[in-house]
């Protein structure tokens, strides 16, 4: 089974992410060791909470450079929720610079009648990279579970792998670029569709790509 480093930086429910990966057939290992991250078959960066504390915690543990190195070297990488957002350059939620791996900004949903912020609960994906292997064996427009007030806005729209609609706002729900994929929703909380997404990621780890 693939050994997947689950990055520990005090910003997420690591247990639920690990359980989802185990159910998908992987061996997750919670770690904040740069060496273990770089030696893993794949990396998962989960996260819940706020942007500034997340990047501060990553940097205080010396994990920014190894994460960038791992992605640049081609190790399959999956970001989840806040683990997607901190890949970007900046966020309207805070003042800290993000990791800058993906060009773009994290923006807050615009208030409008009839919607709640945060965007919380089940919603449907619209695939913009339908050939992405993360979506294999899924029904069209699958339901997945979201909890977020902010969304990523990439400079290059081609990195979008899926969108979601909240009110009148269509925003990025997932990105995919080479060995890097990241999702705004929580696959570990998304029932059968979420398990299939994690299983697809684990399957791709064996061939060294993420999408």
């Amino acid at each position: 089974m693939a050994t997947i480093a689950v990055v520990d930086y005090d910003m997420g429910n690591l247990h639920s992410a690990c359980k989802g990966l185990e159910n998908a057939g992987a061996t997750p290992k919670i770690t904040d060791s740069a060496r273990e991250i770089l030696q893993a078959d794949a990396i998962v960066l989960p996260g819940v909470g706020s942007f500034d504390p997340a990047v501060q915690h990553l940097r205080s543990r010396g994990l920014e450079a190894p994460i960038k190195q791992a992605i640049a070297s081609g190790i399959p990488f999956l970001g989840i929720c806040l683990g997607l957002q901190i890949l970007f350059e900046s966020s309207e939620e805070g003042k800290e610079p993000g990791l800058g791996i993906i060009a773009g900004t994290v923006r807050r949903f615009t208030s409008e009648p009839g919607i709640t912020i945060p965007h919380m609960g089940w919603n449907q994906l619209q695939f913009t990279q339908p050939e992405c292997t993360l979506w294999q064996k899924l029904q069209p427009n699958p339901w997945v579970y979201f909890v977020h007030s902010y969304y990523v806005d990439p400079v290059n729209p081609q990195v979008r792998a899926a969108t979601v609609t909240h009110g009148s706002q269509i925003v990025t729900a997932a990105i995919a670029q080479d060995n890097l994929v990241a999702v705004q929703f929580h696959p570990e909380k998304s029932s059968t569709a979420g398990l299939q997404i994690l299983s697809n990621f684990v399957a791709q780890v064996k061939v060294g790509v993420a999408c």
Side-chain angles (χ1 to χ4, degrees), residues 11-203:
M11 293 297 294
N13 185 348
L14 303 180
H15 174 76
S16 60
C18 287
K19 190 67 175 177
L21 291 166
E22 287 173 353
N23 290 339
T27 302
K29 183 173 185 179
I30 295 172
T31 183
D32 63 359
S33 162
R35 178 181 59 82
E36 291 179 345
I37 288 170
L38 290 167
Q39 289 178 347
D41 297 315
I43 300 163
V44 171
L45 181 66
V48 294
S50 300
F51 189 90
D52 278 5
V55 292
Q56 288 167 352
H57 288 183
L58 270 180
R59 290 181 174 125
S60 70
R61 295 188 179 203
L63 296 177
E64 180 176 12
I67 286 172
K68 289 181 175 180
Q69 182 181 343
I71 293 171
S73 68
I75 297 175
F77 181 97
L78 171 64
I80 297 175
C81 197
L82 188 59
L84 158 68
Q85 295 181 4
I86 61 179
L87 300 176
F88 281 68
E89 295 170 303
S90 63
S91 174
E92 293 179 350
E93 186 179 18
K95 299 179 180 179
E96 291 282 340
L99 301 187
I101 296 167
I102 302 295
T105 304
V106 182
R107 304 192 187 281
R108 183 174 171 83
F109 277 108
T110 301
S111 295
E112 62 178 78
I115 71 167
T116 58
I117 301 173
H119 171 218
M120 180 181 297
W122 295 86
N123 206 336
Q124 288 182 282
L125 296 179
Q126 293 87 45
F127 298 143
T128 51
Q129 291 185 28
E131 75 287 353
C132 179
T133 54
L134 211 60
W135 312 140
Q136 287 184 359
K137 301 180 183 178
L138 291 176
Q139 296 295 319
N141 308 120
W143 291 86
V144 292
Y145 190 81
F146 290 86
V147 184
H148 65 122
S149 300
Y150 295 80
Y151 62 90
V152 297
D153 184 13
V155 170
N156 178 8
Q158 298 302 314
V159 305
R160 291 192 186 100
T163 62
V164 66
T165 302
H166 188 43
S168 67
Q169 300 166 67
I170 300 173
V171 304
T172 302
I175 63 169
Q177 181 175 272
D178 302 322
N179 57 301
L180 183 155
V181 292
V183 298
Q184 182 62 68
F185 56 91
H186 287 272
E188 75 280 6
K189 297 180 181 179
S190 296
S191 190
T192 304
L195 178 59
Q196 184 62 60
I197 288 167
L198 292 175
S199 297
N200 289 342
F201 177 72
V202 171

